[in-house]
Amino acid sequence: MNLKTIINKGIKKTPGLKQLNEHHKFNSQFSYDKRFFRKNYSHSKENKEKLGYNMLLISHSLEKGMSNKNPRRFGGKKTTELIKMLSRYSLYSDYENDFAFINAINILRGYASFYEKMGWQESDEYKTVINNLREYKNIKQMDVGSHTIFKKDFIKDATIDYRQFLFSRHSVREFLPKKITDSDMEKAVEIAALSPSACNRQMCKVYYVNDKTKANKLIQLAQGFGGFEKDTINLLVVTFNINANYMIGERNQGWFNAGLFSMNLANALHSIGIGSCFCQFGNTVKEEETVKRILNIPSGERIAVFIAAGYYCDKMAIPYSPRKSLNDIYKKI
Ligand SMILES: Cc1cc2nc3c(=O)[nH]c(=O)nc-3n(C[C@H](O)[C@H](O)[C@H](O)COP(=O)(O)O)c2cc1C
């Protein structure tokens, strides 16, 4: 037994020391979260990614203004701010094809059309937008702003037997020994991208770890893969980007958005014949950094969850995982 193991055993057996040790562990892990958030949230030192997310935030707010039922002139300060942001963004390389940039330009175009429709062309904010848009004439067109939807058009698609669909999904831990094809993976991720996200910032990402050596390293590192047919796992890692979050009240925003995204991803996979099981990322921050290093994940991202996935076998053994009753989880107040 080495010295470290002896000390750890001693600590565990001594009540006062055990508490002190726990206190230290809690402090170090939680203060990492705090430091990480402060260093990477969108109002810390500007970089391209943070600026992009701040542009998405303002763009979305302007877009909402265009869907107002009783429109008034709006967005003077926000359009000016967005124009300034666009010129800062243009200083970074490869900016023209970025979603945040194209979206922002199109929001300004939509804003100008909205003002024209309302007959507000004499306003200063309209003139400022029009003058600045000249610079971005060649940027790709995108549908933004507000549009009207009719219940009769979507209600038929919405009345699928959703309960039956969800009832047919189970976490599975063995798969056919086959790689998920790119087209299936891409299809599932495109469906998951339809998930709602706070202010449409779309802060989540999926990494499909196709390199077997890397995947094995991660599978060993995570804690929840006991009982899986490990050789058959296609490993997915879902992350979210703290660069998208703009205030302390958003400190848990990423986890929540990643939850919505991941569930839709699992359901999307299920809808195309691919089974999955979440594997919690209950790891230390040091291990999280190791995962990020192995996958070359950008510094502002955090790991939300691992997902083991693969094509369904014909026959699988799974736990029942019974559900709590309605009374346990629902209360009318
Ligand atoms: C966030 C999250 C983390 C999970 N982590 C693990 C895990 O580490 N290992 C595992 O075998 N299952 C894991 N699961 C799967 C759950 O055990 C499973 O979803 C639950 O028992 C309900 O069963 P069902 O998914 O078949 O409906 C996880 C599920 C979620 C949502």
Side-chain angles (χ1 to χ4, degrees), residues 164-333:
Q164 194 179 1
F165 175 79
L166 290 191
F167 215 72
S168 70
R169 186 212 58 85
H170 303 282
S171 291
V172 293
R173 297 166 178 85
E174 58 184 309
F175 312 96
L176 289 182
K178 191 176 156 192
K179 286 212 164 177
I180 300 177
T181 63
D182 287 341
S183 75
D184 279 348
M185 220 31 249
E186 285 162 15
K187 199 193 285 178
V189 176
E190 274 176 353
I191 298 173
L194 299 175
S195 304
S197 66
C199 303
N200 200 27
R201 275 167 288 172
Q202 304 172 60
M203 59 197 84
C204 298
K205 239 182 184 171
V206 192
Y207 295 88
Y208 176 16
V209 190
N210 228 337
D211 179 311
K212 200 78 196 149
T213 317
K214 287 184 179 174
N216 285 341
K217 268 191 200 160
L218 301 193
I219 288 168
Q220 261 171 19
L221 203 130
Q223 295 158 357
F225 282 117
F228 281 69
E229 284 293 325
K230 295 192 188 62
D231 286 346
T232 66
I233 292 175
N234 290 271
L235 186 67
L236 312 178
V237 176
V238 178
T239 68
F240 61 89
N241 200 331
I242 298 268
N243 290 168
N245 304 136
Y246 70 97
M247 59 163 178
I248 177 77
E250 287 209 302
R251 64 195 178 281
N252 298 316
Q253 188 66 270
W255 307 110
F256 187 72
N257 282 249
L260 298 176
F261 183 89
S262 305
M263 187 67 252
N264 277 332
L265 179 59
N267 282 337
L269 289 166
H270 178 51
S271 76
I272 54 178
I274 296 170
S276 69
C277 183
F278 293 108
C279 184
Q280 68 170 334
F281 194 72
N283 292 71
T284 61
V285 292
K286 205 169 156 200
E287 287 161 339
E288 182 172 357
E289 280 172 356
T290 306
V291 174
K292 284 171 67 175
R293 215 170 25 253
I294 293 173
L295 300 182
N296 204 15
I297 289 177
S299 60
E301 290 179 34
R302 294 213 64 174
I303 313 286
V305 75
F306 283 3
I307 301 178
Y311 294 101
Y312 284 118
C313 304
D314 288 334
K315 193 174 155 195
M316 292 153 283
I318 57 154
Y320 272 109
S321 299
R323 296 308 202 254
K324 289 181 175 177
S325 71
L326 192 61
N327 282 343
D328 293 328
I329 59 162
Y330 173 67
K331 190 171 179 180
K332 189 172 169 188
I333 295 170

Side-chain angles (χ1 to χ4, degrees), residues 7-24:
I7 293 173
N8 279 340
K9 276 199 162 178
I11 289 174
K12 273 188 191 149
K13 278 188 189 152
T14 321
L17 282 183
K18 193 179 161 198
Q19 265 183 350
L20 210 64
N21 187 38
E22 208 168 79
H23 182 71
H24 168 70

Side-chain angles (χ1 to χ4, degrees), residues 33-273:
D33 289 347
K34 185 173 85 178
R35 277 197 315 275
F36 192 95
F37 191 88
R38 278 204 76 181
K39 187 174 162 207
N40 291 291
Y41 87 122
S42 67
H43 291 305
S44 58
K45 193 168 177 284
E46 190 166 280
N47 63 18
K48 190 184 179 200
E49 197 106 13
K50 292 175 199 172
L51 182 56
Y53 278 115
N54 282 330
M55 279 160 39
L56 285 178
L57 203 60
I58 295 199
S59 299
H60 180 65
S61 160
L62 289 167
E63 198 171 30
K64 279 202 298 194
M66 292 179 232
S67 335
N68 204 324
K69 269 197 167 167
N70 304 304
R72 294 171 276 117
R73 278 173 53 191
F74 70 101
K77 274 194 190 145
K78 285 183 176 156
T79 45
T80 307
E81 183 60 28
L82 190 56
I83 289 162
K84 283 188 197 154
M85 285 172 155
L86 281 169
S87 69
R88 292 208 298 284
Y89 200 84
S90 316
L91 300 176
Y92 291 104
S93 57
D94 302 328
Y95 65 93
E96 283 148 312
N97 293 319
D98 287 350
F99 176 77
F101 185 79
I102 298 172
N103 184 59
I105 303 282
N106 280 283
I107 288 287
L108 291 176
R109 286 176 182 151
Y111 180 87
S113 307
F114 185 77
Y115 261 54
E116 283 158 17
K117 203 171 82 190
M118 302 305 293
W120 295 336
Q121 290 96 319
E122 289 310 311
S123 63
D124 289 344
E125 61 271 26
Y126 173 79
K127 288 176 190 161
T128 307
V129 168
I130 284 291
N131 285 338
N132 281 281
L133 273 175
R134 286 197 190 103
E135 206 181 314
Y136 303 112
K137 269 205 299 277
N138 298 328
I139 301 300
K140 198 171 115 184
Q141 298 283 337
M142 194 191 262
D143 285 338
V144 297
S146 98
H147 64 127
T148 307
I149 55 168
F150 296 94
K151 184 173 157 189
K152 70 174 171 49
D153 296 333
F154 63 75
I155 199 70
K156 219 160 42 49
D157 292 340
T159 45
I160 55 162
D161 195 336
Y162 192 50
R163 184 179 184 278
Q164 194 179 1
F165 175 79
L166 290 191
F167 215 72
S168 70
R169 186 212 58 85
H170 303 282
S171 291
V172 293
R173 297 166 178 85
E174 58 184 309
F175 312 96
L176 289 182
K178 191 176 156 192
K179 286 212 164 177
I180 300 177
T181 63
D182 287 341
S183 75
D184 279 348
M185 220 31 249
E186 285 162 15
K187 199 193 285 178
V189 176
E190 274 176 353
I191 298 173
L194 299 175
S195 304
S197 66
C199 303
N200 200 27
R201 275 167 288 172
Q202 304 172 60
M203 59 197 84
C204 298
K205 239 182 184 171
V206 192
Y207 295 88
Y208 176 16
V209 190
N210 228 337
D211 179 311
K212 200 78 196 149
T213 317
K214 287 184 179 174
N216 285 341
K217 268 191 200 160
L218 301 193
I219 288 168
Q220 261 171 19
L221 203 130
Q223 295 158 357
F225 282 117
F228 281 69
E229 284 293 325
K230 295 192 188 62
D231 286 346
T232 66
I233 292 175
N234 290 271
L235 186 67
L236 312 178
V237 176
V238 178
T239 68
F240 61 89
N241 200 331
I242 298 268
N243 290 168
N245 304 136
Y246 70 97
M247 59 163 178
I248 177 77
E250 287 209 302
R251 64 195 178 281
N252 298 316
Q253 188 66 270
W255 307 110
F256 187 72
N257 282 249
L260 298 176
F261 183 89
S262 305
M263 187 67 252
N264 277 332
L265 179 59
N267 282 337
L269 289 166
H270 178 51
S271 76
I272 54 178

